[in-house]
Each structure stands twice: as structure tokens, then as C-alpha cells.
Amino acid sequence: MDQVLRQKPRQSFAGLWNISFGFFGIQIGFALQNANMSRVFQTLGSSIDDLPALWVAAPLTGLLVQPIIGHLSDRTWNRLGRRRPYFLAGAILSALALFLMPLSPAFGAPLLFAAAMLWLLDASLNISMEPFRAFVGDMLHADQHAAGYAVQTAFIGAGAVVGSIFPWFLEQAGVSNLAADGGLPGTVKWSFWAGGIALFTAVMWTVFTTREYSPEQQAAFAEEQARAPAPPVDALAGKSYRASALWIAAGVAVLLSVDWAGFEKEVLLLGALLVAYGILSALGIGLARRGRTTNMLSSIVGDFSGMPPVMKRLALVQFFSWSALFIMWINTTPVVTQYVFGSNDTTSVAYNEGANWVTVLFTVYNGVAAVAALLLLPWLSRKVGQVMTHSICLTLGAAGFLMFFAVRDATMLLVAEVGIGIAWASILAMPYAILASNLPQAKLGIYMGLFNVFIVIPQLLVATVTGSIMQALFPGEPVWTMLFAAASWLVAAIAMLRVKATLPHAGQG
């Protein structure tokens, strides 16, 4: 790759494999987190109502980390390349968090330590994950973007299968599945330790088997030169402080409403974040007005306020898509153990059988996603286009959530996971394929980071607001969250239909 290229060469399947194989390991980490952290928190003494507050660490770290990593990776070039330094750093820190998590009971405040490790794990996974999203766009020609994200989604599904099924597999192999003396079950501990090794190994595969295009080569690609935009930060100096004031006012209103409306204390975090964004955006505008447009704050604020139309409409879809997913990850264990297996006692055989069944359910939806990404999505997108494909898949996922609300048979819930798995595959592939083909290459990292903010914001809302709503309307009845999840995906399916008008290429429709 030392010569100057005028067009990105097409990658073979082996090339597509190497580019995305690291995501297999990253998703093992996410799957272990998603399928087991509610169980870990409950085993360490947390109540159902406290779970959203403990989970809030995960989306908060993503909100802070991803735009920063996207901004930095766009501007990085060293011996490892542009994105790969972040793959390596994230893998090391993620493996450390996965190793330490099972040791939580040995610390004086085990619940607090587990929450801190969740924070470290999610931040570290995001350090690796965000550049992986941009990496596909960096390495592939536009006509391979859909294939690249499909392969990445297949690895995500496969990694999630491995991460989700491992506790169940260990139990079948004779490892204890019961928590004894205030500790965590052996199935959970060994799953986290094995997951850390697998994550690090997979990411290292991509680091050592790929070589990135140099900045000079990236600049030489004619299609990328044609799409190079005027930096949105240049327009930031012309903006007023009105929007910043409105963000601050909204945050203050939320903070004041906590006592007035009797919301859970986690809602204070939401208000604080709104105030913080208002202040940071005002600072960014102020710096831009003084001609200081090269700093990180002004660049991120400028890019956020100057998002392309296609990204704005997809952001709404992402908001509702990920609201439902976070509801699922928090509440599937309480719903299945309480309504299907009939126990809330974390020391009981019934509860732990139910919790392990959740890992089987998560394995199924991730396995379905891996197959759908390679077989169903390419076929369906050729027939009806990427926009309609995503809308249809989200509707199938909503039907799966409705089954959780109505069905009380453990085996029948496997059918629900088929619909959820199809939707999950589409969520991981379709929006990113559309974006990678319609965004400027030079800013792909920051735009992917900012796009993922719309994954994080709904998770924060679910973590801060849903607990208050459920406590007020359906105390001790987590099954109602599945109805909210179904409605959220139906809204996302409808919102997706508005995206087509923003696409310049008919083939993307």
C-alpha cells in the first residue's frame, strides 16, 4: 500500500474477515456485560428498582468516550495506523475489567466495585468499538460498504453467541451455577475470565493482519476528495447562544422536577447532562467566535450542530431502536426469572435456572442476527432497498417484544428471539452502511462517534426515567417494560421511512 492509489481496491472475503474479526472479541465483552450484569448486581444485593441506576455507567461512558475517540482517531497517524492504536488500547483495558469483575465480592463495597468495573468495561469497549465502525468505511470502496458491515454484523452476532452461551455451557460441563457465601456463581466468574482472553486475542488478530491507508493515500482517493465538506465548525461562529441557553434551561427544569414530581434520584443525572451540554456548546461557540476553531470542543460541537440531513433522520431511528434494546438488556433477566421461572430469590435454583435461560435466549437472537446479516439482509435490501429492509426488520423485532409481554412458556420465547435477532442484525448493519456511503471519509470517525451518541442518549433516558415510570405505574412488575420496547421499535420503523428522501443515490433506498 505504499504506492499512491486513486481508488480503494476491492477486498476479498479474507480481507473483510480480517477488518472485522476484532469485533467478534468486542462483542463477546458486550454480550457478557448485557446478559450477566443484572444478575451480578442482583446477586450482590441490588433490588430490581436499583438496576437502571447501576446500569447508567455504561451509556454515560459511551456518551463521553465515543465523540472524543472519533475526533482523535480522525487525526491520528502513527506506526500502528489511524484506528488500530485505539483497538489495542481498548482491548487491554477491556480484558482487565473482565478479569477484575468476578473479584467484586472480595472488596469492601462489592456492588460499588462491580459498578466501577462496568464503567471501565464499557468505556474500554467503546474505545475499540467506535474506530471499528469507521474502519470499515476507511478500508472499503463505497460499493462494498454494505458487505463490510454485514460481515461485521455476522461477527457481532457470533461473538454475542459465544459470550451469551458460555455460562450455560459451563454449567453443562459441571461448573457450579449457584452463588455461595455472597460470591458470584462459578459459571459467571469463568465466563468473564475466558471472555477477556477471547476479546484480546480477536482484536489482536485485526491489529496484526490489517494495514491502514496512509493519510496521503486517503487524500488521493478521488471520490473522497469530491465529498470533502467545508468544516461545520466554520459555521459555529455565526450561531447564537440561544440554543445553549435552552439546553441549560431544560436541564435546570429537569433537576427541579425531581423533588416536585417525585422522580427517582437517577433523573438528576439527566438534568446535569443537559446543563453540561448547554455550557459546553456555549464554550464551543465562544471559542469559534474568537477564531479558535481547531480545538476539540469547537470541532465536536460544530460537527454535532452541522450533521448532514441523512444522519439527522437516522439519529431519530437510532434513538428509538436503542431505547428498546437497553430496556431488553436491563429487564429480560427479571422478567424471565419472575414470570416464567417464578422466582425473585437470587439464591434459589429457579432464579438461577431462569437467569441461565436468559443467556440461551440472548444466544438465539445473536445467532439469528449472524445468519440474517449474511443471508436475509443482502437479499431483502436488493428487493426493497436498505430503508424498507430496516423498517421491516424493526417491525419483526417489535412482534418479538410483544411475545415477552404475553407468553409465559420458556421454549416459546425462543420464537420471540428470532424476530428480535433479525431486528438486531439490521440495527447493526443498515444505518452504518447508509452512513458510510453518504458521509465524507475525512470525518467518518467523528460522525460515527456522534451518531453513536444517539445510541447512548436513549440508554441514559431508560436508565434514569424508566425506573421512575415503572415505580410509579407498575411497581414490581417489570414485564410492562417489554410493551414499551415493542412500541419503541414500531416508532423507529415508521421513522425509518423518512430517511429515503435524504439519500442522494436511488440505490440506497
Side-chain angles (χ1 to χ4, degrees):
M1 292 186 189
D2 290 330
Q3 72 275 21
V4 175
L5 301 174
R6 296 299 173 184
Q7 192 175 61
K8 294 177 186 175
R10 290 183 63 82
Q11 294 281 346
S12 65
F13 182 77
L16 296 176
W17 176 291
N18 292 337
I19 287 169
S20 290
F21 186 70
F23 226 128
F24 172 73
I26 292 172
Q27 197 59 35
I28 288 176
F30 274 120
L32 288 169
Q33 168 185 297
N34 295 338
N36 293 283
M37 285 312 301
S38 286
R39 179 183 188 179
V40 169
F41 288 145
Q42 285 187 285
T43 301
L44 295 177
S46 171
S47 69
I48 290 177
D49 294 332
D50 289 334
L51 289 180
L54 291 167
W55 270 88
V56 78
L60 181 59
T61 52
L63 181 64
L64 298 174
V65 167
Q66 291 196 21
I68 294 172
I69 295 299
H71 173 86
L72 293 175
S73 69
D74 279 342
R75 291 158 174 78
T76 294
W77 185 257
N78 59 32
R79 290 177 59 189
L80 281 176
R82 187 185 190 189
R83 314 293 183 187
R84 290 181 300 165
Y86 300 93
F87 301 166
L88 177 60
I92 292 172
L93 293 172
S94 297
L96 177 64
L98 286 169
F99 176 78
L100 292 176
M101 182 75 73
L103 304 180
S104 298
F107 289 81
L111 199 55
L112 181 61
F113 184 83
M117 288 302 99
L118 175 59
W119 193 301
L120 175 62
L121 176 60
D122 203 86
S124 305
L125 291 172
N126 275 291
I127 289 171
S128 288
M129 183 190 74
E130 195 286 328
F132 259 107
R133 289 297 194 191
F135 194 48
V136 174
D138 288 348
M139 300 296 292
L140 300 180
H141 190 273
D143 65 3
Q144 280 197 298
H145 284 161
Y149 284 107
V151 171
Q152 190 174 89
T153 298
F155 276 128
I156 291 171
V161 166
V162 173
S164 297
I165 199 65
F166 214 68
W168 178 88
F169 175 80
L170 288 175
E171 183 185 19
Q172 306 312 304
V175 178
S176 174
N177 190 45
L178 293 176
D181 300 325
L184 298 176
T187 53
V188 174
K189 291 190 293 186
W190 284 104
S191 293
F192 275 81
W193 291 333
I197 296 171
L199 183 153
F200 185 78
T201 302
V203 173
M204 289 305 99
W205 178 280
T206 290
V207 169
F208 288 111
T209 60
T210 58
R211 184 181 178 191
E212 299 185 66
Y213 297 113
S214 70
E216 293 75 20
Q217 289 171 319
Q218 292 283 11
F221 296 139
E223 64 175 20
E224 295 163 357
Q225 288 178 326
R227 290 180 185 175
V233 70
D234 290 349
L236 190 61
K239 293 185 177 294
S240 73
Y241 292 104
R242 183 180 305 167
S244 300
L246 289 175
W247 283 109
I248 294 172
V252 171
V254 170
L255 292 172
L256 295 176
S257 70
V258 172
D259 288 333
W260 175 76
F263 291 143
E264 297 295 311
K265 297 302 182 183
E266 303 90 69
V267 179
L268 291 171
L269 175 61
L270 176 61
L273 288 172
L274 294 173
V275 171
Y277 178 74
I279 294 172
L280 291 174
S281 66
L283 290 173
I285 292 171
L287 290 170
R289 287 185 174 184
R290 292 195 292 274
R292 299 169 61 184
T293 59
T294 59
N295 63 87
M296 183 188 299
L297 178 59
S298 293
S299 295
I300 292 176
V301 172
D303 288 327
F304 187 76
S305 62
M307 288 187 297
V310 62
M311 186 170 164
K312 290 179 180 178
R313 294 198 178 186
L314 279 171
L316 182 64
V317 177
Q318 288 291 87
F319 177 89
F320 287 103
S321 299
W322 285 84
S323 294
L325 287 167
F326 204 58
I327 288 172
M328 176 182 72
W329 291 327
I330 291 177
N331 294 287
T332 299
T333 295
V335 167
V336 171
T337 55
Q338 179 173 332
Y339 295 91
V340 180
F341 285 80
S343 177
N344 286 326
D345 181 2
T346 60
T347 65
S348 69
V349 172
Y351 174 90
N352 284 283
E353 286 181 352
N356 262 18
W357 188 247
V358 171
T359 67
V360 175
L361 294 176
F362 279 22
T363 299
V364 170
Y365 91 74
N366 283 298
V368 168
V371 175
L374 294 179
L375 300 180
L376 176 63
L377 295 186
W379 173 81
L380 191 57
S381 62
R382 286 195 299 270
K383 294 290 185 181
V384 300
Q386 292 176 349
V387 169
M388 279 302 301
T389 294
H390 196 37
S391 184
I392 292 169
C393 292
L394 288 168
T395 303
L396 292 174
F401 281 130
L402 287 175
M403 287 189 66
F404 269 87
F405 183 74
V407 171
R408 297 294 177 265
D409 179 80
T411 304
M412 282 299 296
L413 290 180
L414 295 172
V415 178
E417 296 296 345
V418 174
I420 292 172
I422 292 171
W424 176 231
S426 190
I427 289 169
L428 293 174
M430 290 295 111
Y432 295 99
I434 293 171
L435 282 179
S437 299
N438 292 279
L439 293 178
Q441 179 66 51
K443 300 186 75 65
L444 196 54
I446 181 59
Y447 277 138
M448 287 294 185
L450 290 173
F451 187 61
N452 284 331
V453 167
F454 298 98
I455 294 174
V456 173
I457 290 175
Q459 294 182 43
L460 285 170
L461 287 173
V462 169
T464 57
V465 176
T466 302
S468 296
I469 294 174
M470 293 302 301
Q471 186 64 21
L473 299 179
F474 310 108
E477 296 290 340
V479 71
W480 287 90
T481 59
M482 295 301 173
L483 192 60
F484 289 127
S488 187
W489 268 0
L490 287 175
V491 172
I494 295 170
M496 190 64 197
L497 301 179
R498 298 178 64 249
V499 173
K500 186 173 183 179
T502 65
L503 300 179
H505 307 296
Q508 294 292 327

